[in-house]
Amino acid sequence: DFAPISMVGYYTFLVAVNPAVPAKSLRELFDHARANPGKLNYASGNTSSIVLTAMLNSLAGVKMLHVPYKSEPPAVVDLISGQVQVMVSSYATVASHLREGRIRALALALSQRSPLLPHVPTVVESGLPKFTITTW
């Protein structure tokens, strides 16, 4: 039998968009998705991003087309190129692309803001108080 000893840490997952998407916030992204049903694609590169995006879509009442990838790096390439418009990704995978402006972060899937991205609000701050998923 195994028993947990302590929490090591949490993953910083975030909602990112291609800069061509007009949304500057998570709320604006969902408004844009509602106004353009079926026009937005979202990428997933791991199980956490599948679950996180499904919960976001459900809570916001939007439908975006899911485009699954085997891992995050090829999904990020397509996010940057505009083949997909939205992605929930780990911070480590997209950090350099965020700094260089190739993608834009809209919200963090954390319980509080991260010192890595202090200007990016959490999903709860962005208007979805029932969002409760934390990856660890």
Side-chain angles (χ1 to χ4, degrees), residues 44-102:
S44 66
N46 55 50
T47 305
S48 295
S49 65
I50 294 169
V51 173
L52 291 165
T53 310
M55 186 171 192
L56 287 170
N57 287 338
S58 176
L59 290 172
V62 298
K63 291 186 180 185
M64 293 185 272
L65 178 65
H66 180 207
V67 182
Y69 289 80
K70 290 183 180 183
S71 64
E72 286 189 326
V76 173
V77 169
D78 281 359
L79 179 64
I80 292 167
S81 72
Q83 297 298 312
V84 293
Q85 294 78 38
V86 182
M87 181 177 178
V88 173
S89 176
S90 62
Y91 173 74
T93 303
V94 297
S96 64
H97 304 298
L98 288 169
R99 282 192 299 273
E100 295 170 10
R102 290 192 284 248

